[in-house]
Amino acid sequence: FAAAATSTIGIATGVLLLPEHNPVIVAKQAASLDKLSGGRFSLGVGIGWSREEFDALGVPFARRGARTAEYVAAMRTLWRDDLASYSGEFVSFTDIRVNPKPLQRHGIPVLLGGNSDAALRRAAAWGDGWYGFNLIDCDDVAAKLDTLQRLCDEAGRDRDELRLAVALRDPQPADATRLAELGVDELVLVASPPDDAAQAGDWVSGLAAEWQ
């Protein structure tokens, strides 16, 4: 469940470990979700940290950051071109059609997940945004954004062009105002719905009342 820190409202944000997946399939799945959400979908991606998990999937753990960057470039090609071709180290295809296309004319925003300087550097270099998870508080967010600003300056990018989403360990309604002042677009509330599906409506209504 996501509460907007500004007037921009998006669907809930999560992180997909992209190098563990086929980018052509992910491109199609993401575009389908974008259509279902009315063009409000953002794709959160991470590079992963568990070597054992990669080994179990038969995916090389080394250079997973480079693989992720190339997968995103290939997916952007698929979202943009009716007849798409891409040639890279990790993925190549020629003259393929992948539908549906995203409703968002410029493609689906890709947010880089992770709190390390390396994750922030990827966001500054080629991401459409950044998703910081399990951050301590607003001061922690501010410190990360200072680092992101520096990395954007080094990359020759405007930090204001990036979509920013964060999840705090113990978020309070008052945090939304401070986060908006910092330039954060979305505060993600990490909470589990009730086991009884019949109670889900009341649960969502309670969250909405608390965070409106």
Side-chain angles (χ1 to χ4, degrees):
F1 184 88
T6 69
S7 59
T8 302
I9 299 175
I11 66 173
T13 303
V15 171
L16 172 76
L17 300 184
L18 184 57
E20 296 182 350
H21 299 268
N22 183 305
V24 178
I25 294 175
V26 172
K28 187 177 183 69
Q29 292 171 331
S32 297
L33 289 171
D34 191 58
K35 289 183 72 70
L36 287 171
S37 67
R40 296 185 297 120
F41 183 71
S42 296
L43 178 63
V45 302
I47 70 167
W49 58 269
S50 172
R51 181 183 293 273
E52 292 77 13
E53 190 172 283
F54 277 75
D55 289 345
L57 293 169
V59 178
F61 186 72
R63 306 196 67 233
R64 64 197 185 282
R67 181 184 295 272
T68 301
E70 188 172 293
Y71 279 10
V72 170
M75 289 176 359
R76 286 171 170 161
T77 300
L78 293 167
W79 291 331
R80 182 189 66 237
D81 298 341
D82 181 51
L83 194 62
S85 298
Y86 186 90
S87 178
E89 178 183 354
F90 305 103
V91 57
S92 296
F93 47 80
T94 302
D95 294 341
I96 66 173
R97 287 183 171 88
V98 172
N99 291 298
K101 298 299 184 188
L103 285 182
Q104 298 180 73
R105 188 164 57 91
H106 298 295
I108 295 169
V110 177
L111 279 62
L112 275 296
N115 300 338
S116 67
D117 284 0
L120 293 168
R121 186 172 292 106
R122 284 187 286 272
W126 51 264
D128 298 306
W130 170 64
Y131 175 36
F133 182 76
N134 197 33
L135 295 168
I136 299 170
D137 52 24
C138 292
D139 289 339
D140 192 13
V141 174
K144 297 296 184 187
L145 293 182
D146 284 344
T147 299
L148 182 59
Q149 179 67 66
R150 174 177 58 80
L151 294 170
C152 283
D153 290 343
E154 293 174 359
R157 295 192 67 188
D158 183 353
R159 200 206 78 177
D160 291 340
E161 295 178 354
L162 299 183
R163 180 170 181 81
L164 305 176
V166 299
L168 303 181
R169 293 181 186 177
D170 184 26
Q172 303 299 320
D175 293 331
T177 298
R178 172 80 190 285
L179 292 172
E181 292 171 349
L182 290 171
V184 173
D185 299 288
E186 189 175 354
L187 170 61
V188 180
L189 303 181
V190 181
S192 298
D195 293 332
D196 185 353
Q199 299 175 4
D202 290 339
W203 176 76
V204 171
S205 296
L207 284 175
E210 181 182 1
W211 288 89
Q212 66 181 1

